[in-house]
Amino acid sequence: MEKYSSRQIEIMEAATARIDKHGIQNLTIKNLAADIELSEPALYRHFKSKNEILLSLLNYFIAEMKNRIKGIEKNPDDSVSDELREIFKSQLEAFTKKPAIVSVIFAESIFHFDDDLRIKVTEIMDLMHNYVSANIKKGQESGQYGKMINTSTLTTIIIGGIRLTVLKWKVSGHR
């Protein structure tokens, strides 16, 4: 995992909070510097650009997500669906602890115009897709899940349902 200074983490968290509160269009170096009472030149010593802040934030979330999901304790008595439930519980708890990250990950408009950001968000989606797909495949092979719907389609349905739930939660003011 890439190492970030405490000041860089503070800047990333402030950027996330600004996006959550005011939208991605209001994330500027000037506004961000004012939010954390730092001069613009001082902020530029930590990050070269707004996109570098966003890329670092996404990298930080990806590393945290991988570590969190790898760290889920597996009980030998757990069913495959218990394992899947724990993955989603872990993800939803991460969003609950830092709800503003949802605004960054789901701010699709910024990713259409920057390939590096698009690639990072795609990496997050692919990670979750791989976790869910592996679980479904394991469940179907063991007979714990039915095979009427193929692994790929079922993965898409489940992830789509979670995405809808997270967006509804965000729109409701995190209720």
Side-chain angles (χ1 to χ4, degrees):
M1 181 165 129
E2 200 170 326
K3 296 284 183 189
Y4 295 102
S5 69
S6 58
R7 179 62 92 175
Q8 286 176 310
I9 291 170
E10 177 188 10
I11 292 167
M12 289 187 291
E13 288 179 350
T16 305
R18 173 158 280 284
I19 292 167
D20 189 49
K21 189 172 182 181
H22 302 288
I24 191 71
Q25 66 278 8
N26 282 303
L27 178 65
T28 64
I29 295 297
K30 182 178 182 171
N31 288 341
L32 188 54
D35 288 348
I36 56 175
E37 299 176 353
L38 196 64
S39 71
E40 289 178 57
L43 197 146
Y44 278 117
R45 283 196 290 275
H46 298 283
F47 292 102
K48 294 179 214 150
S49 67
K50 175 174 77 171
N51 278 7
E52 185 180 358
I53 294 169
L54 292 169
L55 279 171
S56 296
L57 179 63
L58 292 170
N59 279 325
Y60 188 76
F61 181 77
I62 288 167
E64 187 275 334
M65 179 178 163
K66 286 178 180 176
N67 288 335
R68 186 171 26 81
I69 291 176
K70 280 182 193 170
I72 293 173
E73 291 186 31
K74 294 191 176 21
N75 182 336
D77 297 331
D78 284 351
S79 68
V80 178
S81 62
D82 290 333
E83 292 173 16
L84 184 61
R85 203 171 290 109
E86 287 302 313
I87 290 170
F88 283 126
K89 180 180 172 192
S90 170
Q91 196 72 347
L92 295 173
E93 284 174 355
F95 289 155
T96 302
K97 286 179 188 169
K98 294 193 178 193
I101 192 69
V102 172
S103 296
V104 176
I105 294 171
F106 290 89
E108 289 131 350
S109 60
I110 65 168
F111 308 121
H112 295 292
F113 304 107
D114 186 285
D115 285 342
D116 292 333
L117 293 172
R118 182 183 47 75
I119 289 166
K120 280 298 158 196
V121 170
T122 300
E123 187 178 335
I124 292 170
M125 289 188 289
D126 288 345
L127 263 174
M128 187 51 67
H129 186 275
N130 292 340
Y131 290 131
V132 173
S133 182
N135 177 275
I136 290 170
K137 186 176 182 180
K138 181 179 170 184
Q140 288 177 328
E141 288 172 354
S142 70
Q144 293 181 51
Y145 297 153
K147 295 181 181 178
M148 184 180 287
I149 301 174
N150 70 41
T151 301
S152 178
T153 302
L154 192 52
T155 299
T156 301
I157 291 168
I158 291 171
I159 290 176
I162 293 298
R163 182 178 171 86
L164 176 64
T165 301
V166 171
L167 286 174
K168 284 174 75 174
W169 171 74
K170 182 187 176 327
V171 170
S172 75
H174 307 130
R175 287 187 295 277

